[in-house]
Amino acid sequence: MGEGKLSFRRLSSIRHRKKRTAAKDEAESSLISSSPPPTPMTPAAVVAKAKKKAGGARLWMRFDRTGAMEVVECDKSTIIKRASVPPRDLRILGPVFSHSSNILAREKAIVVNLEVIKLIVTAEEVLLLDPLRPEVLPFVERLKLQFPQITNASGNVVQSSSLLDQEAGEGLQSELPFEFQVLEIALEVVCSLLDTSVDALETEAWPVLDELTKNVSTENLEYVRSLKSNLTRLLARVQKVRDEIEHLLDDNEDMADLYLTRKWIQQNQQSEAELGETASNLLSRATSNRSSSMVTSTTKGDDVEDLEMLLEAYFMQLEGMRNRIFTVREYIDDTEDYVNIQLDNQRNEMIQLQLTLTIASFAITANTLLVSLFGMNIPCPLYKMDDVFGYFLSSVTAVCVVLFLLTLGYAWWKKLLGS
């Protein structure tokens, strides 16, 4: 009986456990079935997720010769396809080379990296990097003033290709090509920025240096140290832009490669001539192509006068800024020399004072020696004389003064003391 009761209890406990586990499974299944379905991902979310994964998109502004502009976010591959530039040129526009200055000519574009202005210029449009920066906004405003939006009689915006055809018919004799106008605006903005920095440096330098000549203190020396650091950085910035323009002026082929509009017109004329020719004049076409290529190469190597004049104007302006910075640096060097002379003079005066005090100490030491000798218990007939103390003190003092004057005169004679 005891064993039957135990087995019955075990069976009932096993049944209760099975019921509890079944109830838990039903509750979990009901929670899973009652949970809301996952929300579908919208196209915008997919695009945002793709952009986060890509991580190479940057803000660019497209501005064409008709005045039409738009700000878009593009990655490197899109810019490379649109501007036909190699990937290494985009690295030049990146943050690693942010302090360098480059003007590179490519087959269909010009890559410009001047201070804060980073852009790619083609014969039809400008691709400007980071157009919303405060330093770049003056360049954008100058572009808008230089190239107002052009519309036809019906109010539609004129396409840049048709405007290029019109300029090709006029022979580009009225004004500079589109790419040179953009380059001129970039140089103007950069030179204006550098000129403002040079003016601020001069305004800060003169009072600080004048104050240093009057009072050589730690605070004034710290101001001069900070001033020299700013001058070195500014000189490096001006020197980089100047050297890049000088490099272009020294090579006519590099300047000729910057004529994008001319190359575009020549390619169109050559393609139209090739389409208009027939198979009967293949020989004449080859001869004309050879002669035209010779003329083109001659023109390409020689006709760079307008670009040369443009670059020389800004080269002279940068040269003037460089000379102004050198003037400030020379004034700083002169002030430092003057301060060093003042410090040397003060050091010499301290040495002379120390020598004078040393001579006086020597004379006083001699007086002390005589007094100490007479202070010993030595038999001397002077002790028995009346009123001898006054005469003795006067004579010892006179000997001390004479010794001091003799030593001082010797120092003057040897020019150890100033006149």
Side-chain angles (χ1 to χ4, degrees), residues 190-230:
V190 170
C191 289
S192 176
L193 180 64
L194 292 175
D195 189 67
T196 304
S197 301
V198 174
D199 290 339
L201 178 68
E202 290 179 339
T203 305
E204 181 185 3
W206 308 129
V208 172
L209 296 175
D210 292 339
E211 182 64 24
L212 181 63
T213 57
K214 298 176 182 178
N215 182 19
V216 182
S217 62
T218 305
E219 184 178 2
N220 292 333
L221 291 175
E222 182 64 25
Y223 286 156
V224 174
R225 187 197 64 81
S226 176
L227 181 65
K228 291 184 68 175
S229 300
N230 296 335

Side-chain angles (χ1 to χ4, degrees), residues 150-215:
I150 301 175
T151 57
N152 52 21
S154 59
N156 298 324
V157 178
V158 178
Q159 298 296 326
S160 59
S161 59
S162 61
L163 192 59
L164 266 173
D165 296 334
Q166 182 181 357
E167 289 183 355
E170 294 176 356
L172 290 174
Q173 297 179 357
S174 59
E175 58 182 8
L176 290 174
F178 171 73
E179 61 272 13
F180 291 167
Q181 296 184 39
V182 175
L183 181 60
E184 183 180 8
I185 295 174
L187 289 173
E188 181 181 352
V189 171
V190 170
C191 289
S192 176
L193 180 64
L194 292 175
D195 189 67
T196 304
S197 301
V198 174
D199 290 339
L201 178 68
E202 290 179 339
T203 305
E204 181 185 3
W206 308 129
V208 172
L209 296 175
D210 292 339
E211 182 64 24
L212 181 63
T213 57
K214 298 176 182 178
N215 182 19

Side-chain angles (χ1 to χ4, degrees), residues 187-402:
L187 289 173
E188 181 181 352
V189 171
V190 170
C191 289
S192 176
L193 180 64
L194 292 175
D195 189 67
T196 304
S197 301
V198 174
D199 290 339
L201 178 68
E202 290 179 339
T203 305
E204 181 185 3
W206 308 129
V208 172
L209 296 175
D210 292 339
E211 182 64 24
L212 181 63
T213 57
K214 298 176 182 178
N215 182 19
V216 182
S217 62
T218 305
E219 184 178 2
N220 292 333
L221 291 175
E222 182 64 25
Y223 286 156
V224 174
R225 187 197 64 81
S226 176
L227 181 65
K228 291 184 68 175
S229 300
N230 296 335
L231 183 143
T232 304
R233 287 193 294 267
L234 183 58
L235 179 60
R237 291 167 56 191
V238 174
Q239 189 73 33
K240 288 176 183 177
V241 182
R242 176 190 172 276
D243 291 345
E244 185 63 26
I245 296 178
E246 186 179 13
H247 172 72
L248 288 175
L249 289 172
D250 291 340
D251 196 341
N252 288 342
E253 293 183 0
D254 288 344
M255 285 193 290
D257 290 337
L258 297 177
Y259 283 80
L260 302 179
T261 305
R262 179 193 296 174
K263 290 190 288 187
W264 186 88
I265 293 172
Q266 290 174 354
Q267 290 175 0
N268 284 352
Q269 291 176 353
Q270 186 176 1
S271 61
E272 290 176 359
E274 289 178 356
L275 290 176
E277 289 176 348
T278 58
S280 59
N281 55 359
L282 289 177
L283 183 60
S284 62
R285 183 184 65 178
T287 306
S288 63
N289 284 339
R290 188 178 298 116
S291 62
S292 63
S293 63
M294 293 175 62
V295 173
T296 302
S297 62
T298 305
T299 305
K300 181 179 179 181
D302 297 334
D303 191 12
V304 292
E305 184 178 358
D306 49 356
L307 178 59
E308 189 174 2
M309 292 177 62
L310 171 65
L311 294 178
E312 281 182 352
Y314 289 100
F315 177 79
M316 295 302 295
Q317 187 174 354
L318 291 168
E319 185 70 19
M321 297 180 196
R322 181 168 168 266
N323 293 333
R324 289 165 61 189
I325 295 175
F326 280 151
T327 303
V328 177
R329 189 167 70 176
E330 290 177 359
Y331 191 74
I332 292 176
D333 294 339
D334 294 342
T335 304
E336 289 180 348
D337 293 339
Y338 177 74
V339 169
N340 289 329
I341 291 172
Q342 278 188 334
L343 294 177
D344 291 340
N345 187 28
Q346 291 179 359
R347 194 179 298 112
N348 292 333
E349 289 179 356
M350 291 179 63
I351 293 174
Q352 291 177 6
L353 177 61
Q354 183 180 4
L355 180 60
T356 305
L357 293 177
T358 303
I359 295 173
S361 300
F362 172 70
I364 295 173
T365 303
N367 190 6
T368 306
L369 176 63
L370 291 175
V371 173
S372 62
L373 288 176
F374 282 95
M376 296 180 180
N377 295 324
I378 299 175
C380 182
L382 294 176
Y383 295 154
K384 300 177 181 179
M385 296 177 62
D386 297 331
D387 300 330
V388 73
F389 180 76
Y391 297 104
F392 178 78
L393 182 62
S394 301
S395 60
V396 170
T397 304
V399 170
C400 178
V401 172
V402 170

